[in-house]
Amino acid sequence: MNEGTVIDRRGAIVGAGAVAAGAMLGGAAAATPGLHAIAATKGRAFGTCLSWSPKGADAGSLANPRYAALATRDCGIAVPENALKWQALRPSPAAYDFARFDAILRDAERAGMRMRGHTLLWHYDRWFPKWLVDHDFGKAPAREAARILTQHIRTVCARYAGRIYSYDVVNEAVDPADGSLRSTALSRAMGGAEAVLDLAFRTAREAAPKAELVYNDYMSWEAGNEKHRDGVLRLLAGFRTRGVPVDALGVQSHIGVFAPTDSIERLVATLSPDWRAFLDRVVGMGYRLVVTEFDVRDRGLPADIAVRDAGVAAFAKGYLDLMLSYPQLRDVLCWGMTDRYSWLRGFEPRPDGLPTRGAPYDASFRAKPIHAAMHAALAR
Ligand code: 9MR
């Protein structure tokens, strides 16, 4: 991909307005090839999550020309932030509502982006639709749970056959508190979580035989995450023992500077040896890696924007350098391109109440130092 292609793609999707919006991008970033173009020179791909919105809305959607301008400039792959989740797709046991994801996929394809699917099963009652938590599984509960799960996966995979190349089949099934598998309405009906997760992957393999199948989770390296990491390793080892078709571990990568530090380098050094040891075990079992939801939580960094942005960028670079040292990692996606629409603003507010700055572009769509850091890491 070259600059000309980017502009063509941008023009194709949103017209001249977006080209004007493109001129608003940060100078340094606008003058160099986008992140996907750089990643592609190393056989990798870069992308972002996308949301749905009505045309022209102020949202992290390709229907918003300002967002489309930077997303199409930097991204060759995409994933829906929410539109493919059960909560969005399944208003009731009998119904599917595909309209929003259909629109996201159509716009992404027009922009030349390949699509990942998130997620066929977020195995956590908290994120199930209410009807599923309250469902009466009847006299043969295991059969009824299997029916609901397999029907959902087959329906989604059949509808998007050939258009989604990689699925987060299962999301966040491990309880970080003790490393056990979460219990849900489905697992209680089926007599255990393993049966549910195995069935999800086996069904996905049948229904989308060419797609990459990913287990996605947010285990991390900091003290206090040992049980989460161990739980994920046990789950991945179990998949191998039982012959369950899982291709890759999705490492969400909502990394963070959580406490004040006078040295980002020292913080980066805390990644080793535990994080490397974890990743080595994962690839040692034959799994590939995907960075599925990258962004930086900046709670521990000072309010001063220049200092904060430099810290976010240095931490991002250290983390991505380590991740990208694994040849098993091909796709890197961030969880939103700008601070303006980032989930961090609502879910992970800073103690001082200032807006978070963990995405590659600021709330006015200007590239920040983290963008250059990601560029450098992907180029290395
Ligand atoms: O960013 C997403 C937010 O808009 C939703 O309200 C939330 C619940 O569906 O999910 C957020 O995305 C999460 C992703 O699906 C799984 N990993 C953690 C992400 C951030 O919370």
Side-chain angles (χ1 to χ4, degrees):
M1 187 174 75
N2 57 37
E3 272 313 277
T5 324
V6 174
I7 288 165
D8 287 350
R9 290 194 340 194
R10 190 189 292 152
I13 159 184
V14 280
V19 179
M24 295 183 292
L25 301 178
T32 52
L35 297 174
H36 178 69
I38 288 295
T41 64
K42 309 285 173 193
R44 291 194 161 109
F46 178 81
T48 184
C49 71
L50 295 172
S51 62
W52 175 88
S53 79
K55 212 168 161 40
D58 187 11
S61 142
L62 293 180
N64 170 7
R66 294 184 83 194
Y67 192 72
L70 51 92
T72 53
R73 171 166 203 293
D74 274 324
C75 300
I77 55 177
V79 62
E81 181 167 10
N82 291 311
L84 204 67
K85 294 171 181 172
W86 286 59
Q87 269 187 334
L89 276 189
R90 304 297 307 277
S92 71
Y96 289 79
D97 180 357
F98 292 114
R100 292 184 169 200
F101 181 66
D102 282 355
I104 292 175
L105 181 58
R106 181 201 59 214
D107 288 350
E109 286 176 342
R110 280 188 195 159
M113 296 177 195
R114 290 185 305 132
M115 187 62 72
R116 299 198 66 244
H118 174 85
T119 165
L120 294 173
L121 179 65
W122 190 338
H123 196 240
Y124 193 178
D125 272 344
R126 180 174 172 206
W127 302 112
F128 278 6
K130 189 167 181 314
W131 64 258
L132 182 55
V133 178
D134 296 342
H135 189 70
D136 175 4
F137 288 88
K139 290 208 189 74
R143 199 186 316 147
E144 171 66 354
R147 183 193 66 77
I148 293 174
L149 180 63
T150 55
Q151 195 225 48
H152 177 89
I153 293 176
R154 285 179 189 141
T155 303
V156 173
C157 291
R159 184 177 182 90
Y160 300 113
R163 300 173 74 192
I164 293 183
Y165 75 95
S166 171
Y167 276 102
D168 293 336
V169 177
V170 174
N171 186 54
E172 297 175 24
V174 174
D175 184 345
D178 61 6
S180 67
L181 295 178
R182 290 184 205 279
S183 154
T184 65
L186 291 177
S187 74
R188 289 184 290 276
M190 288 189 66
E194 258 174 34
V196 179
L197 309 187
D198 292 5
L199 182 63
F201 279 103
R202 292 199 160 110
T203 307
R205 181 61 97 215
E206 267 173 40
K210 291 194 181 136
E212 172 186 63
L213 306 186
V214 177
Y215 173 72
N216 191 47
D217 210 331
Y218 60 86
M219 64 281 135
S220 187
W221 59 87
E222 293 93 351
N225 284 264
E226 298 82 359
K227 288 181 177 155
H228 197 181
R229 288 196 303 270
D230 288 349
V232 169
L233 289 174
R234 265 197 309 279
L235 177 64
L236 295 180
F239 286 147
R240 287 295 185 246
T241 309
R242 301 191 297 278
V244 181
V246 184
D247 302 312
L249 174 66
V251 183
Q252 290 186 6
S253 309
H254 298 292
I255 66 171
V257 180
F258 299 112
T261 173
D262 54 5
S263 165
I264 295 291
E265 289 66 36
R266 207 163 38 239
L267 198 60
V268 168
T270 64
L271 284 161
S272 296
D274 291 350
W275 190 234
R276 265 197 192 283
F278 171 79
L279 297 171
D280 289 347
R281 294 271 303 275
V282 173
V283 300
M285 287 186 257
Y287 291 100
R288 296 198 293 269
L289 302 170
V290 185
V291 169
T292 48
E293 307 180 12
F294 178 69
D295 52 25
V296 183
R297 293 179 275 178
D298 64 6
R299 193 187 317 151
L301 289 165
D304 181 277
I305 286 187
V307 178
R308 186 142 52 109
D309 284 357
V312 164
F315 195 45
K317 176 76 165 54
Y319 176 77
L320 290 175
D321 279 348
L322 186 149
M323 294 304 294
L324 291 163
S325 72
Y326 285 85
Q328 295 86 349
L329 174 64
R330 190 187 58 195
D331 291 352
V332 177
L333 296 101
C334 64
W335 208 239
M337 295 301 285
T338 109
D339 295 326
R340 190 177 185 90
Y341 313 119
S342 170
W343 72 289
L344 293 170
R345 298 229 149 163
F347 278 72
E348 299 253 346
R350 286 173 57 88
D352 60 13
L354 288 172
T356 58
R357 295 182 64 85
Y361 292 84
D362 74 8
S364 308
F365 304 91
R366 282 184 303 247
K368 292 185 299 178
I370 182 180
H371 185 281
M374 292 164 72
H375 203 277
L378 289 165
R380 231 166 73 137

